[in-house]
Amino acid sequence: MYDKDSLIRYFHDFSQKINRKRLMSRLETLANFERPQTSPAQERAAEYTFSLLKEDGFTNPELLKFPADGKTVYQDKIMPLLWDVSKAVLSSAATGEVYADYEANPFAIVAGSTATPPEGIYTQVITETQLLSGEDAAGALVLLSPGTRPCNTVLRPLLDLGAIGFVSDYLSGRYQTPDACQWVNGCTDAGDWHVTLEDRDFIGFSVSPKVGAKLRALADKGNCNVHVISDARRYSGEISVVTGLIPGKSEKEFWIVAHLYEPLLNDDSTGVTAAVEIARMIRDTVQTEYSIRVVFAHELYGFAAYASYRGDYLGNQVVGGCNLDDLASCQPGKLLLVPAGEAVPFHGNEILKQCFESMQEVVPGLQLDSCGQYYDDLALGDPTVGVPMTWLMGKGSLWHNSAQCEKDYIDPEIFFRTTAFAAAYIFACADTPAGTVTIRRTPPAAEKHSPVRDYATQIVFARNSCGFPFSLAKIPHRKRPVLPDGVLYGPFANVLANMDGKKNMAQIILETEGERHTELKDSQIMQYLNRLNVLEKYGYLTAVKRPAITENEIISALKELGITPDNILLVHASTTKCGFVQGGSETIVNAIRKTAGTALFTTFTNPYIYLGGPYKVWNYRPFSSDNIKAVWTGGAGRYLLENVPDAVRSRHVTHSWTGVGALAHACLDSHGPADPPCGETSPMAKALELNGKVLYFGSGLAPSTFLHYLEDQLRLAYLDSAICKVKEADGRLKTVLIERHLPGHREFYTLDAEHGKFFTKAIAAGLEVKTVPLGIGKLQLIDLRQFYEVGMKLLKAEPDLLLCDSEKCVFCSKYRQKR
């Protein structure tokens, strides 16, 4: 490995060799090509980059074409549809004042937006607050709140609620640059970074904070009528990857990567132009041990396409690489050095640490990340691909802010300094035989034990496909789960990367904790295991070894609890807390149906616009009995609604229950749409009359909805009204008032509810909680009559017993008696 003096000498040598004037000229030219953010502009940027490789004498430079059809998949990344626009204007319908104009500012329209009729459309702008307060969004544009970043978790509910799109004045650095606007990317319906064939039409505008404030003031008065015109279009075609080679002594390659197709100076015109300059300077210095290849492509997706083009596993062809996304930075200038994830041994990590330790005096602002990463452009470091990547990232502010397009955004001296540092580092990596460097892998964390970790020792997964799962293209669109840490941005990537089909999950968790310098909680480990089970279901993984809970085991546990065919059960089910259930919700429901006479499951929804006060959350949907996806209380209830023809659902608009069995109608039919959710007509009251029981399948006692029935019986002071929206058969929205609803917080809303105030006192007072283990969890059963008698006695004596004791809880503090 190079010593300190050598590294500093190379830094100074490369500093002198940089063709500064040409580098700045190329930087500005490339950024100008990309600024329109359309696919034709991106192709011109690729062609310009290709011309730079030819001009600088790269060996066999290539301009490769890959499908951009919104459906082709590389390494589980769905390739984009192409997109173009020439005219997009948002203006006042009354005065003609222009609020957003693509011709004046290319960032004014969000990539992926679609067209209006040629004459445009007239519509209304409503605010996010108005939308979530129940105003009908049909045909409207929604002005997002300043702190709401436009993304799929925002766009999807807007489209579900009938909006045609949005206006956003979200801006990083909004107080520094109030006249700038955000370049919006990654705002799609399906969840990829770009639109695919799975995305619905929408129109999005990005405006400055000043314009946003003006629109918000008009919309708050109900007077924001606008004219929208757009000729934007999505279409299929091809997208380019640009690559070129500097031959070394070995055919094995070291890659310098930077991404095209983002229309900002530092994101990533600096990386592309610096990479070309660095490769040229190294070629003109000496022939390195490894060949040097530059690869310029669409971030994440294009690199996956190129890697697939080269072969499923590239570790025999490529020794590693360095990513130069955001190489320059704002003043005062900081360069973050990000090591590659450790699953693939990489001598570049050791050289990166040496550069950090040796060059802080000549390159001020160096920072070394505490652990290796698998970020977007480092994702090729996944062992199934085999190209570990480090990242040299200039840390600055104004992420995706249009101020990045201003010439003075880049400090040339900082850019030249970081380019010279990158050249010295890349030269050291490319000229050092990997076998001559001792690679130090972080040891696993110290062994720990818990029921979850001991369970994980019984599980072994093997990877089936090349590349990190990301788009989840194998899973039907509306069934795709959200993977932990965005897959690439936290410990979940390490978990996937460390799988080899031999190590059990407890070992992999310890390796991950060691690499990430963190300790994972049992709840986090269970979340990871549950998501791995989903990936296994759809073929991304193979379960080499995994205990599975069967239907017969569940039936045996239910019988051990004393459940018989004449029982009526209120069921709270967590399908994952006991471990992997073969068949999931279907198996649980079938086992309960075969054991109990009648079973009622929660199918609660969230149509609130007021719940003891304004209630604004993004999972708001007006109640519609046919919108099964709006049910938020678990998979068992949704399974019943989707798959069991004889299932009966109560009519309540927030707290419906769905049941099967002989007495389902008797328990559910009287529960009116706007009755108090837990009052005398509720399924809980009917189950109590019929001597029912409550079954907690793995959930613990936290989801004890029956306690709300006791609150309702006592008319406790903190019950309050709710206002909800209901979608009628003709699509119109109706407002519904519900009395004695359930606002605020309760102390038993915790994972450890059985050890909380209420259940501690209730058990001491004689409440029997029957418990039977199942897998790593447990089934619990409470007789409703006893629950009612013990609970009512306790709450009559202490009406605030169900409230928490935290002084930070505004709701509970308001109603809690002073003791």
Side-chain angles (χ1 to χ4, degrees):
M1 193 186 306
Y2 289 96
D3 58 25
K4 175 179 180 180
D5 291 339
S6 298
L7 291 170
I8 292 175
R9 184 172 67 253
Y10 285 122
F11 167 76
H12 287 303
D13 286 349
F14 287 122
S15 294
Q16 296 301 314
K17 290 177 180 177
I18 294 172
N19 187 328
R20 300 185 173 208
K21 182 177 180 180
R22 188 175 68 171
L23 180 56
M24 291 303 297
S25 174
R26 287 177 167 184
L27 168 66
E28 293 169 7
T29 301
L30 179 58
N32 286 335
F33 274 125
E34 298 210 273
R35 191 162 185 253
Q37 68 164 329
T38 62
S39 295
Q42 292 172 352
E43 184 57 28
R44 290 190 291 271
E47 291 169 351
Y48 174 70
T49 303
F50 179 61
S51 74
L52 299 183
L53 299 188
K54 293 195 294 183
E55 180 181 337
D56 282 4
F58 279 71
T59 301
N60 297 325
E62 296 177 278
L63 185 68
L64 302 170
K65 303 290 185 181
F66 293 91
D69 54 8
K71 62 181 181 181
T72 298
V73 180
Y74 297 106
Q75 297 182 358
D76 201 47
K77 284 78 179 173
I78 301 176
M79 295 296 281
L81 282 168
L82 298 182
W83 179 78
D84 196 12
V85 66
S86 63
K87 184 175 185 179
V89 179
L90 174 69
S91 60
S92 168
T95 67
E97 179 183 359
V98 174
Y99 303 126
D101 183 356
Y102 173 76
E103 290 186 78
N105 181 354
F107 294 178
I109 190 168
V110 175
S113 292
T114 48
T116 65
E119 68 278 9
I121 59 174
Y122 289 89
T123 188
Q124 180 185 18
V125 172
I126 65 172
T127 66
E128 175 184 321
T129 298
Q130 290 167 334
L131 171 85
L132 297 180
S133 296
E135 188 158 338
D136 191 352
L141 287 171
V142 177
L143 175 60
L144 303 178
S145 297
T148 299
R149 185 173 75 84
C151 58
N152 73 298
T153 55
V154 171
L155 180 60
R156 187 174 297 166
L158 295 184
L159 299 180
D160 287 348
L161 293 168
I164 62 169
F166 63 88
V167 182
S168 170
D169 65 341
Y170 173 87
L171 182 66
S172 63
R174 65 186 297 114
Y175 300 111
Q176 299 165 254
T177 57
D179 292 313
C181 72
Q182 191 82 0
W183 174 60
V184 176
N185 76 324
C187 183
T188 64
D189 175 26
D192 267 294
W193 291 2
H194 50 252
V195 292
T196 69
L197 291 176
E198 297 175 327
D199 285 272
R200 289 175 284 182
D201 288 353
F202 73 91
I203 297 175
F205 288 99
S206 180
V207 299
S208 71
K210 287 184 176 179
V211 172
K214 180 181 294 187
L215 292 172
R216 198 166 285 108
L218 291 170
D220 286 343
K221 296 176 182 177
N223 189 30
C224 196
N225 298 309
V226 294
H227 182 216
V228 182
I229 187 165
S230 166
D231 65 358
R233 65 189 183 102
R234 306 168 183 173
Y235 59 102
S236 294
E238 293 180 319
I239 194 168
S240 294
V241 171
V242 180
T243 183
L245 189 70
I246 302 294
K249 299 173 186 176
S250 166
E251 290 186 356
K252 198 164 187 177
E253 298 171 357
F254 183 92
W255 286 5
I256 311 173
V257 306
H259 64 76
L260 290 163
Y261 312 142
E262 293 197 9
L264 303 158
L265 282 165
N266 197 34
D267 199 1
D268 185 30
S269 297
T270 55
V272 173
T273 53
V276 176
E277 183 72 1
I278 288 167
R280 179 198 64 79
M281 290 191 295
I282 292 175
R283 180 201 62 194
D284 293 347
T285 300
V286 68
Q287 187 179 36
T288 52
E289 179 71 23
Y290 298 108
S291 300
I292 295 175
R293 178 175 293 280
V294 293
V295 184
F296 307 122
H298 191 295
E299 188 172 15
L300 186 62
Y301 301 86
F303 293 118
Y306 178 71
S308 296
Y309 166 76
R310 291 285 300 269
D312 281 345
Y313 173 72
L314 301 181
N316 297 323
Q317 304 174 46
V318 186
V319 68
C322 179
N323 171 38
L324 301 184
D325 182 358
D326 289 359
L327 181 61
S329 66
C330 300
Q331 293 283 10
K334 293 182 179 179
L335 188 65
L336 179 65
L337 314 181
V338 182
E342 296 185 40
V344 178
F346 182 35
H347 71 295
N349 277 356
E350 305 303 323
I351 295 174
L352 191 68
K353 295 172 188 175
Q354 179 66 37
C355 287
F356 170 71
E357 293 167 359
S358 301
M359 299 174 67
Q360 295 185 59
E361 294 178 5
V362 294
V363 186
L366 289 181
Q367 296 179 336
L368 182 65
D369 203 343
S370 61
C371 58
Q373 303 286 356
Y374 297 99
Y375 292 146
D376 17 79
D377 286 346
L378 310 185
L380 298 182
D382 179 357
T384 63
V385 183
V387 185
M389 291 273 179
T390 55
W391 184 6
L392 310 184
M393 178 177 65
K395 296 191 72 176
S397 59
L398 309 183
W399 174 78
H400 288 184
N401 184 312
S402 62
Q404 270 212 46
C405 298
E406 299 171 7
K407 288 186 178 181
D408 60 358
Y409 177 78
I410 300 295
D411 184 310
E413 292 306 315
I414 291 176
F415 183 31
F416 300 148
R417 186 168 68 226
T418 55
T419 298
F421 175 88
Y425 166 69
I426 290 168
F427 177 76
C429 289
D431 202 41
T432 302
T436 65
V437 177
T438 300
I439 299 173
R440 297 162 291 181
R441 183 162 187 179
T442 304
E447 187 171 344
K448 309 174 187 69
H449 290 279
S450 71
V452 171
R453 289 175 184 266
D454 293 343
Y455 170 64
T457 64
Q458 305 172 60
I459 302 170
V460 178
F461 285 113
R463 302 277 298 278
N464 285 343
S465 51
C466 185
F468 284 116
F470 190 79
S471 296
L472 301 182
K474 297 179 182 181
I475 303 178
H477 177 200
R478 292 299 182 182
K479 293 186 177 181
R480 290 173 190 162
V482 176
L483 294 182
D485 312 322
V487 185
L488 303 175
Y489 305 102
F492 192 65
N494 298 68
V495 168
L496 289 166
N498 289 332
M499 284 181 187
D500 61 358
K502 299 176 182 177
K503 292 179 290 192
N504 66 55
M505 288 308 303
Q507 293 173 292
I508 289 173
I509 291 297
L510 292 176
E511 289 180 351
T512 295
E513 291 175 318
E515 292 168 359
R516 304 288 309 192
H517 312 301
T518 190
E519 181 174 342
L520 300 179
K521 297 179 180 179
D522 281 0
S523 59
Q524 194 172 2
I525 296 171
M526 278 303 298
Q527 181 197 30
Y528 286 7
L529 294 177
N530 293 335
R531 288 298 183 257
L532 294 175
N533 285 331
V534 175
L535 293 176
E536 184 274 338
K537 177 180 178 180
Y538 288 98
Y540 291 96
L541 307 175
T542 293
V544 177
K545 175 184 176 184
R546 179 182 57 186
I549 298 170
T550 65
E551 182 178 306
N552 286 338
E553 288 176 294
I554 296 172
I555 291 173
S556 295
L558 294 171
K559 289 181 177 179
E560 188 177 345
L561 275 176
I563 295 172
T564 61
D566 62 346
N567 284 155
I568 296 172
L569 298 181
L570 300 175
V571 182
H572 298 288
S574 171
T575 58
T576 59
K577 293 289 179 63
C578 294
F580 176 69
V581 176
Q582 189 73 50
S585 294
E586 179 180 5
T587 296
I588 293 170
V589 169
N590 288 342
I592 293 173
R593 293 191 72 180
K594 291 176 181 178
T595 310
T598 300
L600 313 178
F601 295 79
T602 57
T603 48
F604 299 169
T605 54
N606 186 32
Y608 306 102
I609 60 175
Y610 179 95
L611 184 57
Y615 193 83
K616 299 176 178 62
V617 290
W618 278 111
N619 70 341
Y620 157 74
R621 300 291 188 280
F623 176 77
S624 175
S625 60
D626 59 0
N627 186 7
I628 297 171
K629 293 187 291 294
V631 172
W632 62 267
T633 48
R638 287 194 297 271
Y639 171 79
L640 280 172
L641 292 173
E642 291 176 328
N643 299 285
V644 180
D646 61 332
V648 182
R649 187 179 188 183
S650 71
R651 296 171 295 151
H652 201 271
V653 302
T654 67
H655 279 64
S656 70
W657 291 70
T658 297
V660 287
L663 296 175
H665 279 286
C667 292
L668 299 173
D669 287 354
S670 62
H671 198 201
D675 290 348
C678 300
E680 292 84 352
T681 64
S682 72
M684 287 168 289
K686 301 302 179 184
L688 175 63
E689 290 175 12
L690 296 167
N691 297 313
K693 305 175 188 295
V694 56
L695 170 66
Y696 303 88
F697 190 105
S699 65
L701 303 183
S704 290
T705 310
F706 187 74
L707 287 173
H708 294 310
Y709 172 70
L710 305 184
E711 294 175 333
D712 186 273
Q713 288 290 289
L714 295 170
R715 303 297 195 266
L716 294 183
Y718 48 78
L719 300 182
D720 202 346
S721 59
I723 300 174
C724 302
K725 289 288 185 176
V726 175
K727 180 182 275 190
E728 299 192 288
D730 61 3
R732 290 185 298 174
L733 299 184
K734 178 175 69 174
T735 302
V736 173
L737 172 67
I738 303 175
E739 296 180 343
R740 299 200 311 276
H741 217 292
L742 311 167
H745 182 251
R746 305 291 190 275
E747 188 260 357
F748 65 89
Y749 294 172
T750 66
L751 293 176
D752 197 30
E754 42 260 71
H755 299 116
K757 290 187 302 180
F758 175 82
F759 282 106
T760 297
K761 292 186 176 184
I763 291 169
L767 179 67
E768 183 182 6
V769 182
K770 293 183 179 179
T771 302
V772 170
L774 180 67
I776 58 167
K778 57 190 174 183
L779 307 187
Q780 295 168 285
L781 188 72
I782 301 177
D783 178 83
L784 283 176
R785 177 58 56 186
Q786 188 185 53
F787 202 169
Y788 176 81
E789 291 172 353
V790 172
M792 289 292 282
K793 182 177 180 179
L794 291 174
L795 290 175
K796 285 177 181 178
E798 196 174 349
D800 62 355
L801 179 59
L802 298 180
L803 301 177
C804 77
D805 293 328
S806 172
E807 296 301 325
K808 295 180 180 179
C809 179
V810 175
F811 181 85
C812 292
S813 296
K814 177 180 178 181
Y815 291 101
R816 189 173 57 241
Q817 296 178 8
K818 303 299 180 184
R819 295 192 296 271

